[in-house]
Amino acid sequence: MTSIDARDVPADETSQERLAGRGLDYRAVAADGDDFLPFYRAVSRGFLDGEPNEEREGSAPRSYAERAARMIGVYERDAAPGAWPVGTVTSWVSRLTLPGPAGAEAPLPDIDMWAISGVTVAATHRRRGIARAMLEGELRSAAAAGLAVAGLTVTESTIYGRYGFGMAVPVERLRVETKRAGWIGPDADVRLEFVERARLAETIGELHERVRRHRAGNVSGFSLRWARIAGTDPGNDAGTRTRGVIARDAAGAVRGALAFTISDGDDHTKHSLAIHHLVAETPEVRAALWRFALEYDLVGTVTADLQPVDDPLPWLVADPRAVARTVFDHGWLRILDVARVLTARGYAADADVVVRVRDDLGIADGAWRLGIAGGVAEVTPASGEAGIELGVSELSSVIVGGVPLRALAAAGRVTGEANAIAALDVALRADRAPHLSLWY
Ligand SMILES: CC(C)(COP(=O)(O)OP(=O)(O)OC[C@H]1O[C@@H](n2cnc3c(N)ncnc32)[C@H](O)[C@@H]1OP(=O)(O)O)[C@@H](O)C(=O)NCCC(=O)NCCS
């Protein structure tokens, strides 16, 4: 559990001064204050959504409070009371799972992470440096509060590299032609049952907390996320279309859940089943949930987002080409304290290397010697020649083992001695493909 409440972390003075010089106020917004609703409406507009309805607005403060989320708004200095902010950002302290030593059983180690969300700038104020001031402010605040890493999920992959974030956890989007796939997987002793949506949300939340320490890259969840997945979030009129099943193992214990919607096409035998969330504690349960979706009567296509890149589905069907797979960047990380993060994770092999890290913001700049033995790293400040040189964005990309160091070296984004890069590449690998199963 985390001991830091993001709401106690003050707004960054450097960003405050920079924006003040442009006639803008940069300040905290309280979930129970008058500024909250304008802030919430501005976030909705920023993400191109409609105006939130009353029910949604009424329940929103609870969700921010549950996460102990800090909200920062940027306002025109001369704006009337109650004016909407022209910039918004939200952050809270979550937990990020890290790789363990080779062969380690779950639970894997985890670490506090500054989760950043709700980054919007009004279309009337775009490209004037407001987002830059907000993002840099988040990173300086988080580092000052003692966080070693920040993370986010993104609308566009072009935005955050400049602040030192690196794409770290790729995921797959799957699209299955069910009539062509043909199930050849196991006929597992797993019992499925439909459940009410409220129970679905609760079960997914509980299962997530149990599975998130099994793979590096995942983070702790929150009630609103599970409610949105199950269609029970207040004010969601389309939520009634969501269906859910839970999966029990042979002993009757709940070990998995699936949330989905089905939509009609012109041909009633070719409906589309969209998986909102699939969580399973065992391979047998995962297979049973896939089978349930693929064999659903009147369904011709199954889609699922945010699946792990090593998902077994192509090996569970007779025609693997019935499963179209698209890999994309999902989890972005930003190291703030190099030594702490490198010490907190486990390693797959021994290595002894000196790494020099460049950080334009100066937060993670420096050189460290990594002495890795028996899956554990001793990390000490170093001087002199470095075997490996890279930016903080590149180090953040490889830190949970979801991106190979050698791929970045091949792209010219990591430089140094080939032997040192090869040794660290192997040491950084994660036992299983890292996975981030939610948006935040
Ligand atoms: C993305 C967004 C927050 C940027 O806000 P902004 O105030 O216009 O950004 P800034 O003026 O501070 O730009 C900072 C830098 O990012 C670049 N940038 C901004 N938006 C970008 C984008 N969408 N793609 C690529 N680069 C972008 C700018 O060119 C600038 O580059 P530089 O400082 O390195 O020269 C804003 O366009 C927005 O609200 N978009 C819709 C909501 C959204 O997608 N939010 C992100 C959620 S993950």
Side-chain angles (χ1 to χ4, degrees):
M1 279 304 290
T2 174
S3 56
I4 300 168
D5 186 326
R7 294 167 299 188
D8 297 336
V9 178
D12 174 64
E13 284 179 15
T14 307
S15 289
Q16 213 158 28
E17 279 166 25
R18 198 192 301 165
L19 290 170
R22 300 179 205 164
L24 297 166
D25 275 346
Y26 167 94
R27 58 180 152 84
V29 172
D32 56 0
D34 292 341
D35 281 347
F36 177 75
L37 276 186
F39 178 93
Y40 186 63
R41 290 169 183 167
V43 174
S44 189
R45 181 183 62 190
F47 283 115
L48 318 187
D49 289 336
E51 284 184 23
N53 58 26
E54 241 175 78
E55 220 184 330
R56 186 162 275 196
E57 289 189 348
S59 68
R62 269 203 309 280
S63 171
Y64 286 87
E66 180 206 343
R67 279 171 278 168
R70 174 177 105 142
M71 288 166 270
I72 300 266
V74 177
Y75 298 83
E76 288 283 4
R77 167 104 22 88
D78 53 10
W84 293 19
V86 297
T88 64
V89 59
T90 306
S91 42
W92 65 93
V93 180
S94 184
R95 297 288 291 176
L96 168 71
T97 306
L98 297 172
E105 293 290 318
L108 298 172
D110 66 349
I111 187 174
D112 276 347
M113 182 192 83
W114 189 258
I116 300 173
S117 184
V119 177
T120 74
V121 170
T124 47
H125 287 65
R126 67 191 283 283
R127 308 301 182 266
R128 299 184 199 174
I130 295 177
R132 176 174 279 282
M134 293 194 304
L135 263 302
E136 291 185 8
E138 288 302 312
L139 298 176
R140 280 190 293 266
S141 295
L147 276 292
V149 63
L152 38 71
T153 53
V154 306
T155 53
E156 290 185 89
S157 50
T158 47
I159 303 175
Y160 295 102
R162 60 174 49 76
Y163 308 115
F165 286 87
M167 49 179 178
V169 190
V171 294
E172 275 187 1
R173 188 175 285 143
L174 301 173
R175 184 182 176 85
V176 189
E177 286 178 59
T178 62
K179 311 288 182 205
R180 182 179 164 189
W183 187 260
I184 56 163
D187 187 11
D189 189 2
V190 174
R191 203 153 42 85
L192 303 183
E193 60 192 75
F194 277 102
V195 288
E196 300 283 332
R197 287 178 293 129
R199 170 96 188 283
L200 179 66
E202 202 181 302
T203 308
I204 290 175
E206 287 166 6
L207 286 163
H208 179 80
E209 280 310 300
R210 297 215 294 266
V211 303
R212 73 172 176 83
R213 297 281 294 278
H214 289 242
R215 282 187 193 248
N218 228 330
V219 303
S220 39
F222 47 97
S223 305
L224 181 64
R225 175 55 55 231
W226 311 132
R228 289 222 168 129
I229 281 168
T232 55
D233 50 318
N236 176 2
D237 299 333
T240 51
R241 291 205 62 84
T242 303
R243 305 282 178 192
V245 290
I246 60 168
R248 292 182 190 278
D249 64 15
V254 176
R255 306 298 295 271
L258 181 76
F260 62 97
T261 46
I262 298 182
S263 55
D264 202 353
D266 295 337
D267 181 337
H268 294 307
T269 65
K270 292 184 181 157
H271 284 66
S272 294
L273 187 155
I275 292 178
H276 295 190
H277 200 78
L278 190 168
V279 56
E281 282 192 277
T282 66
E284 294 74 30
V285 168
R286 193 168 189 86
L289 290 169
W290 273 128
R291 183 176 193 176
F292 168 81
L294 265 54
E295 293 186 342
Y296 214 105
D297 282 329
L298 304 181
V299 165
T301 308
V302 170
T303 57
D305 210 345
L306 308 190
Q307 298 308 311
V309 295
D310 61 354
D311 193 276
L313 184 61
W315 286 267
L316 292 168
V317 295
D319 184 350
R321 287 199 190 171
V323 183
R325 303 152 74 186
T326 311
V327 176
F328 71 100
D329 60 279
H330 179 50
W332 287 66
L333 295 173
R334 204 293 183 192
I335 292 174
L336 301 166
D337 184 329
V338 174
R340 283 222 343 261
V341 178
L342 288 175
T343 309
R345 59 157 289 173
Y347 294 84
D350 293 355
D352 190 356
V353 292
V354 173
V355 175
R356 179 174 304 285
V357 182
R358 295 178 307 272
D359 181 356
D360 290 345
L361 293 184
I363 298 171
D365 231 23
W368 290 267
R369 164 168 239 114
L370 264 89
I372 304 170
V376 178
E378 196 176 321
V379 185
T380 48
S383 54
E385 285 284 292
I388 300 176
E389 300 206 12
L390 75 182
V392 65
S393 164
E394 285 71 29
L395 185 62
S396 301
S397 282
V398 300
I399 197 62
V400 292
V403 173
L405 186 72
R406 267 196 278 207
L408 297 185
R413 310 237 335 216
V414 172
T415 56
E417 297 157 13
N419 285 348
I421 291 171
L424 190 58
D425 175 84
V426 175
L428 285 168
R429 283 181 198 167
D431 227 23
R432 302 173 69 194
H435 184 213
L436 173 59
S437 55
L438 53 90
W439 291 93
Y440 61 87

